[in-house]
Structure formats: C-alpha cells, structure tokens
Amino acid sequence: MEKQKRKKHGAHNESKSLWNYTLSPGWSQEEVKILKLALQKFGIGKWRSIIQSECLPDKSIGQIYIQTQRMLGQQSLGDFMGLQIDLEKVWIDNNQKKGVMRKNGCVINTGDNPNKEERKQRIEENRQKYSITQEEINKIKLPRFKNDCVAKYFTIQEIENDQFTTIEKLQHFVNLEVEIDKKVKKIQFMKSHTNGNSNLNGNGNHIQNNHLDEQK
C-alpha cells in the first residue's frame, strides 16, 4: 500500500505540468511558470499589463487567455477578473467537480450568464477564498524581454471561438474596435504627413526651377 502511494506521488511529481493542467499549443513549462507569476502580480484579466511587462514576448493576449483557462480549469474567467489568486487552488476545486461538462480539461459554464450584481458577488467570494497576500505579490519578480511584434488584442477568429461567453465576446469586440480605430487614425496621419511633405518638396523644386530659369 505504501509502495503504491509512493508510486502515485512520484508520478505526480514527474508530470509534465505544474498541477496537471493541460498546455496550450506553443507553450513551454517555463513560459507557464512566468504566466503564473504574471497573473498573480497583475491579476486575472490584466492582459494588457502582462503584455506591456514584456515577460512573455512571443505570446498574444489570445494565447495568454487560453492558457489561463487551462491553468484555472474553467473556460469562463469572468468570476476572477482583477483577482490575484492561487491558481492551483482554483484548478484543484474545478478538477474535483462532478457532473459538469468539460472541454480541453476545462469546466464549461452551461447555465445562464450572471448579471452584474451576481458577477460582483462571485468575484468577492473568490477573492476571499483564493487571494494571495500582498507580501507574496510584492516578492514576485518577472523577467523582461522585448518584442514589438506581438498582438495586444484578440483577432476576430479568436473572439468567435466558443471559449468566450457572450458578454466576454462583446467586450473583446469593443477592444478590437478601439485598436482598429487607433491604427486607422495612425495610417491617416502618416498619409497626411507624407502628402504634406510631398507638396512642400514639389513647391520647393518648382520655385528652385523657376529661379534657375530667371537666371538663364
């Protein structure tokens, strides 16, 4: 019996994961360790802060979101938004749930989406149950890399994936619209600036040519 316990314990320690969550394609164990620290430092849902910290230079917000789902063991993250928590405790509780539907190891919410007050109450309950201490947060040190090519928003294809609730999809579409608007304005500014310079150069050359003609 004792031998079986040791064997089981050893198998758990030799697992390719930290607490048996599944890895999303393209993620290494080292990257997941960094993501765990980043989520605890900034909070669940603080995707932009994680991207801006440059601790995971090759990951998009969509990739971070999906791996966070797997680390918590549930698809909807709305009840944890903004929380700095012990991710392993949440995963263990979700893993022990019976009679629930799962996809990629994550619990799927099959009920109605909570209203604003219900969501607020759930977040507070999870804060009390899973939060880590401020002392633990202060000790977190993240590596820093540099990569300006990583997308800082979800693509339409990522948003339309069934991993999101309707409310989350709407919010991500709003965020995408804001990013598109920023890029359109930037392109318009650059075109305007380029055209302006072209006109100035053209006028300058024209004036210079006229001056040469007068000298002749």
Side-chain angles (χ1 to χ4, degrees):
M1 185 70 177
E2 187 63 29
K3 183 177 180 181
Q4 289 180 340
K5 286 183 179 180
R6 286 199 303 269
K7 185 177 180 181
K8 184 177 180 181
H9 180 69
H12 176 77
N13 287 339
E14 293 168 5
S15 170
K16 293 183 179 180
S17 61
L18 296 178
W19 50 85
N20 287 335
Y21 56 80
T22 56
L23 285 174
S24 297
W27 283 84
S28 68
Q29 285 296 340
E30 187 60 32
E31 288 172 329
V32 172
K33 290 178 183 178
I34 294 173
L35 176 57
K36 175 188 175 183
L37 293 175
L39 290 168
Q40 292 181 324
K41 182 177 180 65
F42 299 113
I44 305 296
K46 303 298 183 179
W47 319 123
R48 200 169 298 277
S49 295
I50 294 174
I51 292 292
Q52 291 173 348
S53 74
E54 299 175 348
C55 65
L56 290 165
D58 298 323
K59 303 304 179 189
S60 68
I61 290 180
Q63 291 173 306
I64 290 172
Y65 188 102
I66 293 172
Q67 185 56 45
T68 301
Q69 289 177 315
R70 298 192 178 201
M71 293 167 73
L72 292 180
Q74 65 181 71
Q75 283 199 331
S76 177
L77 304 181
D79 294 347
F80 295 93
M81 284 298 169
L83 300 185
Q84 294 156 290
I85 59 175
D86 185 328
L87 285 75
E88 182 174 357
K89 285 184 178 180
V90 179
W91 184 90
I92 290 173
D93 284 351
N94 279 322
N95 190 53
Q96 292 176 344
K97 290 181 179 178
K98 306 296 183 182
V100 296
M101 293 184 63
R102 300 179 188 273
K103 183 177 181 180
N104 295 323
C106 298
V107 175
I108 301 174
N109 180 22
T110 56
D112 295 332
N113 290 325
N115 58 40
K116 186 176 181 180
E117 287 303 316
E118 289 172 336
R119 178 75 77 189
K120 185 177 179 181
Q121 182 179 349
R122 291 184 185 182
I123 290 175
E124 183 55 35
E125 290 173 353
N126 287 328
R127 184 196 310 278
Q128 295 179 18
K129 188 174 183 180
Y130 299 111
S131 284
I132 60 176
T133 66
Q134 189 60 50
E135 182 180 2
E136 290 175 302
I137 295 170
N138 293 340
K139 290 181 179 178
I140 295 174
K141 303 296 182 183
L142 295 172
R144 188 173 184 179
F145 307 95
K146 186 68 176 177
N147 188 337
D148 295 328
C149 299
V150 178
K152 298 177 174 59
Y153 47 84
F154 288 107
T155 64
I156 292 177
Q157 290 78 10
E158 288 172 330
I159 296 172
E160 290 179 341
N161 191 301
D162 62 2
Q163 62 185 314
F164 300 120
T165 64
T166 301
I167 294 177
E168 288 171 337
K169 285 183 179 180
L170 290 174
Q171 184 58 56
H172 293 317
F173 273 122
V174 170
N175 293 340
L176 179 59
E177 184 179 13
V178 171
E179 292 293 338
I180 292 174
D181 186 58
K182 287 180 182 178
K183 290 186 180 297
V184 170
K185 288 180 179 178
K186 184 176 181 180
I187 292 171
Q188 290 174 340
F189 173 80
M190 293 174 65
K191 289 177 66 176
S192 174
H193 186 68
T194 302
N195 292 337
N197 285 340
S198 297
N199 291 334
L200 287 174
N201 291 336
N203 291 336
N205 291 334
H206 181 65
I207 292 172
Q208 185 178 8
N209 291 336
N210 285 344
H211 181 64
L212 290 174
D213 289 340
E214 289 174 2
Q215 285 182 336
K216 291 179 181 178

